[in-house]
Amino acid sequence: MEEKIRGLEMQLESLVEFRKGFEQIMEQRHEVSEGKSSDLQMEAGLGNSEGRLGEESGQWKHVTKRTRQRKRRASEGEIELQNRFAELENEEGAQQVVTEGDRARKKRRVVSPIGKGEELMEITPNMRSRRIQDGLKRITRENGNGKNLQPEGTGDRLENSTVTRKRQVYVIGDSLLRRIDRPVTRADPENRRVCCLPGAKIRDVDLRLKRILKGAGKNPLIILHVGTNDTARFSLESIKGDYVRLGRTLKEIEAQVIFSGILPVPREGQQRCDKIMTINRWLRQWCYKEGFGMYGHWEAFMDRGQFSRDGLHLSREGNRLLGWRLAQLIKRALN
């Protein structure tokens, strides 16, 4: 890169020297053209005077002061009508000559040798050489002297290979998923999402599932934690039927699915806990039969301190534990 910059600096110095030489040549030609034009004016004046003398040689005329003034004005008008640069146009092919003031105001666009004509850099007489060098260095970094600065073969690999998108992970469920987004999404925030639906039951998740997974990509990982609210209102057969309908919807999506087991509810009695344990046992068998995964938490949440005062929702300690367990489950499922 340093050798390329030195070469560019040498080219820049040659361009500046060429510009100075070109300006000197134009000034010399301008002076020569002015001298030639004055000689032409003198020759034209002498020719006209000789012609007039030749015409008047055979006659005598009375010449007054006013007559001389009229002739002088006429001769001056003839000289002004002549083209001062006629001789220069014949030699240089009608090349335009500008004065020093015009050259100072006019911007000349010089083709940069780096971009091969694609990028132009304006150079004015007042532009400093340091500024020009900085511009050339900037163009060198961007274009690399018209060459690709990437290692050989890198461009071909980028063109031929397709950018693979990471698998999307969705954790969907009821209000027990509150405040678990940080431990779940910390490893990959762009590709992991937690969708908490407060008060949601199995039917609600089934209705909203396709809308939530819109744009999820190919073969996403879906973790479902739902069913706690259903155990308080519906019978076992109704809950099983809702799980079956949800499974049909999941098979249409073509994704890796893992069901999270229902947690205990400390505020309820033993009858509610027995019902939840029965559903979890059936859910494990049904997931194995349908090709889904099942991850239970029953033994990990036997401590009453992991739940809030209402005996239904999790405390901060319980949220951290559930979030950590789900993050470990995602890690194992992706690997």
Side-chain angles (χ1 to χ4, degrees):
M1 181 60 70
E2 293 180 357
E3 294 179 357
K4 292 180 180 179
I5 294 175
R6 294 194 196 99
L8 292 174
E9 291 178 353
M10 295 177 63
Q11 293 179 4
L12 176 63
E13 292 177 359
S14 62
L15 288 174
V16 174
E17 293 178 359
F18 174 76
R19 183 182 67 183
K20 293 179 179 179
F22 178 75
E23 292 178 355
Q24 293 177 0
I25 293 172
M26 296 304 297
E27 290 178 359
Q28 293 176 1
R29 288 186 178 179
H30 182 63
E31 294 175 357
V32 172
S33 64
E34 289 181 352
K36 288 185 178 181
S37 63
S38 61
D39 295 338
L40 291 174
Q41 292 175 3
M42 293 176 63
E43 292 178 0
L46 292 174
N48 293 333
S49 62
E50 290 177 358
R52 287 194 295 272
L53 290 173
E55 293 175 357
E56 298 174 355
S57 60
Q59 298 179 0
W60 288 94
K61 291 185 178 181
H62 180 67
V63 180
T64 63
K65 184 178 181 181
R66 187 176 297 174
T67 306
R68 293 196 199 96
Q69 291 178 354
R70 287 198 300 268
K71 290 182 178 181
R72 189 179 301 166
R73 291 174 183 172
S75 64
E76 290 176 359
E78 292 175 359
I79 293 174
E80 289 179 357
L81 293 175
Q82 292 180 359
N83 187 0
R84 297 173 60 190
F85 306 105
E87 193 69 21
L88 184 61
E89 290 179 356
N90 294 333
E91 292 180 0
E92 299 297 330
Q95 181 178 4
Q96 183 180 3
V97 180
V98 296
T99 62
E100 185 65 21
D102 294 336
R103 285 198 302 271
R105 289 190 300 268
K106 182 178 179 180
K107 288 183 180 180
R108 291 173 297 177
R109 297 181 67 83
V110 181
V111 178
S112 173
I114 298 175
K116 296 184 180 181
E118 295 180 358
E119 185 163 345
L120 300 177
M121 182 177 65
E122 292 186 358
I123 297 178
T124 59
N126 296 328
M127 185 180 290
R128 298 181 181 179
S129 59
R130 181 65 179 176
R131 185 179 176 185
I132 297 173
Q133 292 177 2
D134 294 339
L136 290 175
K137 289 180 181 180
R138 178 180 58 80
I139 299 173
T140 304
R141 291 193 298 268
E142 294 177 356
N143 296 342
N145 199 14
K147 297 179 181 179
N148 189 3
L149 298 179
Q150 296 178 353
E152 296 182 359
T154 304
D156 298 335
R157 290 197 301 270
L158 291 176
E159 292 178 358
N160 296 331
S161 62
T162 57
V163 179
T164 58
R165 181 184 178 185
K166 291 185 178 180
R167 290 181 63 188
Q168 302 292 300
V169 178
Y170 289 83
V171 180
I172 306 171
D174 50 28
S175 57
L176 292 177
L177 298 182
R178 289 175 180 172
R179 297 188 295 270
I180 70 164
D181 51 341
R182 289 187 179 181
V184 171
T185 62
R186 185 182 294 117
D188 191 0
E190 296 181 358
N191 298 300
R192 297 186 183 184
R193 294 172 177 83
V194 177
C195 183
C196 178
L197 305 174
K201 295 180 283 294
I202 301 173
R203 298 176 184 177
D204 300 326
V205 174
D206 187 14
L207 294 174
R208 301 184 185 181
L209 188 61
K210 291 186 177 180
R211 188 189 309 171
I212 295 172
L213 298 177
K214 186 177 182 181
K218 184 179 180 181
N219 192 25
L221 173 62
I222 304 173
I223 298 177
L224 296 170
H225 186 89
V226 64
T228 302
N229 297 321
D230 295 81
T231 58
R233 300 182 180 181
F234 305 113
S235 61
L236 291 175
E237 298 299 327
S238 178
I239 294 173
K240 293 178 182 178
D242 291 339
Y243 272 120
V244 171
R245 282 188 290 270
L246 179 59
R248 294 173 184 171
T249 305
L250 291 169
K251 288 185 177 180
E252 295 176 359
I253 299 174
E254 297 181 357
Q256 181 181 0
V257 180
I258 300 175
F259 281 89
S260 176
I262 304 174
L263 300 181
V265 182
R267 73 178 183 184
E268 301 293 340
Q270 188 64 34
Q271 185 178 0
R272 176 89 176 267
C273 291
D274 293 341
K275 184 177 181 180
I276 293 174
M277 293 179 65
T278 303
I279 294 174
N280 284 336
R281 286 194 296 268
W282 174 87
L283 184 61
R284 184 178 298 275
Q285 296 176 359
W286 176 78
C287 289
Y288 179 79
K289 178 181 177 181
E290 298 294 332
F292 301 139
M294 199 277 181
Y295 186 62
H297 309 279
W298 190 268
E299 295 181 356
F301 285 88
M302 296 302 296
D303 187 1
R304 182 64 175 82
Q306 296 170 345
F307 293 86
S308 61
R309 293 180 180 180
D310 62 2
L312 176 63
H313 298 93
L314 296 175
S315 61
R316 293 188 179 274
E317 182 182 353
N319 288 326
R320 286 194 294 267
L321 178 59
L322 181 61
W324 178 81
R325 290 177 63 85
L326 293 179
Q328 295 299 316
L329 174 62
I330 293 170
K331 183 178 179 180
R332 292 196 298 270
L334 294 178
N335 295 332

